[in-house]
Amino acid sequence: MNSESLQLDRSAIISHIAEQIPRHSLAAYPTPLMRANGLTALFEGTELWFKRDDLISFGLGGNKIRGLEVMLADVLAQNASWLITGAGVQSNHVRATAFVAAYAGISCTAVYWGKQPATVDGNFRVTKMLNAQFHFTNDDDRASVDTHIQLIADNLREQGHRPYAIPRGGACVRGVLGHVLAVFELYQQCLCQGLAPDAIVLAVGSGGTYAGWLLGIRLLNLPWKMLCYTVSREPKQVSQQVADLATEAAALLKLAWAFTIQDAPVYGGFIGQGYGIPSQEAAEAIKLVGRTEGLILDPVYTGKAMAGFLYGLQNKYFGDYKRIVFIHTGGEPAFFAGTGDWLNAGL
Ligand SMILES: *Cc1c(COP(=O)(O)O)cnc(C)c1O
């Protein structure tokens, strides 16, 4: 097939699939796709680009807004009156959900694992400002969030409310479909800008975003490789979760596609001491990108993914990739939270 008919084919797929994904748009799209001139000069032979989802123009931005836009269409269709979700106290997803609830004029409950911290800062400050009710599980096991979300939803229902529970971290099929739309957006943007990427770099937490990218890339049959860095779970566990979510989301589009862990490779080794704990490598990556590109990565997700990606570049893992797009998924509030000098801890 020549490239023109391939393009026609893809735009037909985009309209056909997008029709099946109702979304309540909250921001102006597309987000900017910008060439990283300073980094490109540093790493000769590989052109680097940033897709600025950190600039999504709603609720402090970040990838979580894309998933929530698809969920919001469902929330409004069901006439739900209360959003409940959860994660860690500095969660971008919880903050974004609280923004969506406030904007839609409905109530919100945030469920956090662990004990309530003595300080109020970063995303927790924003979430409280938005009048979200919050609840700490007093259990460091993150799965405690899942059971508490269910309990609270059941309680609210008994009281006559119409709760809408969003799984921890926003990792659910509708969220995944929001990221399928992001793939469509980037594809069309690349056509306009005359860019043909070889690979996409992504930070991976609960895996919903990656699942959407996998599915979107397969739908359009794009030659884009995914370079994904886990910041939380073990690579194998994430790959399984991503494959399952992508399979489930495909089913919602009436496609009997099965994704396996081989379809969802994930790089490990850059988590550092744990989820949410700044690492030396991430600090170095954040400083390099800040000083060369005029943008801020976060210490929890994008900083660690960038650290892993830079390591790969330096060690020539991606030899034949000429153009690579790093998805800046947001998370800046964590950069400003707290008083620790983690950026300079290793100096
Ligand atoms: C949540 C998040 C991610 C990862 O998205 P998942 O869908 O949870 O894998 C990446 N970057 C930032 C800034 C995030 O908040």
Side-chain angles (χ1 to χ4, degrees):
M1 209 184 292
N2 65 36
S3 76
E4 205 167 298
S5 58
L6 197 60
Q7 274 175 32
L8 279 175
D9 219 45
R10 286 181 175 141
S11 61
I13 293 169
I14 289 175
S15 15
H16 174 69
I17 297 293
E19 222 166 72
Q20 299 174 56
I21 309 179
R23 94 162 152 178
H24 187 98
S25 187
L26 297 167
Y29 295 108
T31 57
L33 174 61
M34 303 170 77
R35 190 176 188 274
N37 293 322
L39 290 175
T40 296
L42 274 180
F43 297 97
E44 276 167 43
T46 313
E47 206 181 312
L48 301 179
W49 291 72
F50 281 102
K51 171 72 170 160
R52 298 294 304 275
D53 273 8
D54 60 314
L55 296 180
I56 286 178
S57 52
F58 179 87
L60 285 174
N63 59 329
K64 300 306 183 307
I65 305 293
R66 290 188 185 273
L68 284 164
E69 288 177 324
V70 176
M71 291 181 230
L72 179 57
D74 191 42
V75 166
L76 297 175
Q78 293 191 22
N79 196 24
S81 65
W82 205 303
L83 301 186
I84 308 137
T85 196
V89 68
Q90 283 301 335
S91 165
N92 297 310
H93 162 67
V94 170
R95 174 254 304 160
T97 304
F99 264 117
V100 169
Y103 180 83
I106 61 185
S107 304
C108 183
T109 298
V111 180
Y112 300 121
W113 68 69
K115 290 194 176 48
Q116 183 168 351
T119 49
V120 175
D121 62 353
N123 279 317
F124 187 38
R125 173 179 285 146
V126 181
T127 303
K128 280 187 67 170
M129 178 273 286
L130 295 166
N131 274 334
Q133 300 193 359
F134 58 89
H135 172 90
F136 286 85
T137 66
N138 291 316
D139 183 343
D140 287 334
D141 181 2
R142 298 187 202 169
S144 64
V145 166
D146 307 345
T147 43
H148 284 242
I149 286 176
Q150 277 322 316
L151 285 174
I152 290 170
D154 292 345
N155 247 318
L156 286 168
R157 200 171 295 109
E158 273 164 31
Q159 292 165 30
H161 298 289
R162 295 179 304 281
Y164 189 100
I166 299 171
R168 177 159 49 112
C172 57
V173 270
R174 284 203 166 70
V176 171
L177 295 178
H179 301 293
V180 168
L181 298 178
V183 178
F184 295 173
E185 178 182 311
L186 180 60
Y187 165 71
Q188 288 171 321
Q189 200 171 21
C190 285
L191 271 188
C192 287
Q193 293 187 216
L195 177 70
D198 299 299
I200 307 293
V201 186
L202 190 65
V204 180
S206 54
T209 307
Y210 186 7
W213 280 83
L214 263 193
L215 179 53
I217 285 172
R218 184 170 297 182
L219 278 163
L220 298 185
N221 191 22
L222 292 167
W224 301 351
K225 295 279 183 297
M226 292 298 294
L227 307 174
C228 295
Y229 296 86
T230 177
V231 303
S232 169
R233 304 168 215 222
E234 282 300 305
K236 233 194 184 143
Q237 196 192 345
V238 196
S239 292
Q240 188 64 59
Q241 163 108 341
V242 170
D244 291 348
L245 277 169
T247 302
E248 232 185 293
L252 209 66
L253 299 174
K254 301 184 187 65
L255 298 165
W257 289 357
F259 290 84
T260 66
I261 55 171
Q262 282 77 27
D263 297 319
V266 172
Y267 289 108
F270 291 89
I271 300 174
Q273 292 191 49
Y275 172 76
I277 304 170
S279 71
Q280 169 91 41
E281 293 100 320
E284 295 310 318
I286 290 169
K287 284 188 272 195
L288 176 68
V289 172
R291 290 165 188 173
T292 48
E293 299 301 335
L295 57 81
I296 285 189
L297 299 177
D298 78 291
V300 182
Y301 293 96
T302 54
K304 288 181 179 176
M306 182 58 82
F309 174 55
L310 291 177
Y311 181 86
L313 271 179
Q314 275 148 6
N315 290 284
K316 313 263 179 238
Y317 284 10
F318 324 122
D320 45 353
Y321 298 165
K322 293 272 179 290
R323 287 161 301 268
I324 302 182
V325 179
F326 185 101
I327 310 298
H328 188 162
T329 43
E332 287 93 330
F335 182 94
F336 300 102
T339 54
D341 195 20
W342 50 270
L343 211 44
N344 299 302
L347 296 182

